[in-house]
Amino acid sequence: MNFRFQFSLFADLASISASPEEVMATFQRLNKHNYGLLPTTMQELLMPDLATVTRLRFVNAQTGLEVSVPRSRIDVVHQWQRPDGPGVGQVVDFIDVAQNCIEALLAEPTILGHRLAFVVQEMSPAMSPDEFRSRFSRLFTPPSFYEANPPHEWTFRANTNTSLSFSDRTELPRKDVIDFTMSREGPRHDDQLSGSRRTALPDAAL
């Protein structure tokens, strides 16, 4: 199975540039953790004038770890293949890595985050057409039209708001979203199931 973790901190990061001096200083701070991240850049499209701006990006192609810094958030991403899926240890380790990377990037104490997000995505191996249809029928009660015309793609989404407590304060909302998309499209017509869970934490978490 293919897995992808993403930890994001939303903030105004326009002051972090992709100048050679900034790239080198950030690289040195990240390199203290021995993550093997190499500096590069990315192009971000700005709306509504459709201008592009060069932003910071660090990548380790061997481990699948990536850190990018658009103007409005820091994204720490780790993707890899694992047959039995990630355990709790892998999740905790990734959060530690994400925290270290974000601290290395936020050298300016005036930059304050206003939202956190944690996303887990997975892609299942190929499955037979019968198994594909079986998963669909267990989740949905479709119109009779789909009995003669089985779908080649479907999506399931659940969204709720819950509360969290920080320092004797309880805040709403905490958005918790679960998305599943299954598709039989693609060059090899493989059955693929991708799932993600997104959690946005309130300001008090920061």
Side-chain angles (χ1 to χ4, degrees):
M1 302 180 99
N2 296 324
F3 290 91
R4 184 179 187 272
F5 287 171
Q6 177 178 336
F7 193 96
S8 299
L9 172 69
F10 292 79
D12 182 0
L13 303 168
S15 61
I16 299 180
S17 69
S19 66
E21 296 78 13
E22 185 81 41
V23 171
M24 182 56 62
T26 307
F27 172 70
Q28 290 175 348
R29 292 194 298 270
L30 285 171
N31 198 40
K32 295 179 181 178
H33 300 288
N34 297 317
Y35 294 146
L37 291 164
L38 298 178
T40 181
T41 58
M42 56 179 280
Q43 295 296 313
E44 182 180 11
L45 182 65
L46 302 181
M47 302 296 288
D49 53 0
L50 301 181
T52 59
V53 60
T54 302
R55 303 294 297 169
L56 281 176
R57 183 168 175 255
F58 297 86
V59 177
N60 185 329
Q62 293 183 330
T63 65
L65 182 63
E66 176 183 328
V67 180
S68 56
V69 191
R71 290 170 61 93
S72 60
R73 71 181 188 272
I74 297 173
D75 290 328
V76 183
V77 176
H78 185 206
Q79 46 192 343
W80 76 101
Q81 291 185 344
R82 180 184 171 95
D84 55 348
V88 174
Q90 284 79 30
V91 176
V92 173
D93 290 343
F94 171 73
I95 292 177
D96 287 341
V97 170
Q99 179 177 344
N100 290 335
C101 291
I102 289 173
E103 288 177 351
L105 287 163
L106 296 183
E108 299 181 36
T110 57
I111 297 178
L112 300 177
H114 55 80
R115 184 159 68 92
L116 295 172
F118 181 50
V119 180
V120 179
Q121 292 179 311
E122 68 177 74
M123 186 73 70
S124 75
M127 64 188 72
S128 68
D130 288 341
E131 187 177 359
F132 183 90
R133 287 191 292 268
S134 176
R135 292 197 181 194
F136 176 75
S137 63
R138 289 199 299 267
L139 282 173
F140 301 96
T141 305
S144 58
F145 171 81
Y146 289 103
E147 294 179 4
N149 302 277
H152 57 77
E153 179 177 307
W154 51 262
T155 297
F156 171 83
R157 178 183 175 93
N159 186 353
T160 186
N161 289 331
T162 58
S163 63
L164 283 180
S165 297
F166 298 93
S167 301
D168 298 326
R169 295 173 56 190
T170 300
E171 295 201 4
L172 285 171
R174 170 181 179 261
K175 177 181 275 190
D176 212 328
V177 182
I178 297 177
D179 283 317
F180 285 101
T181 299
M182 179 174 278
S183 173
R184 296 201 71 235
E185 293 182 319
R188 296 179 301 165
H189 298 284
D190 288 342
D191 297 302
Q192 294 181 323
L193 173 66
S194 67
S196 68
R197 179 168 184 170
R198 297 173 174 84
T199 300
L201 302 179
D203 295 352
L206 306 180

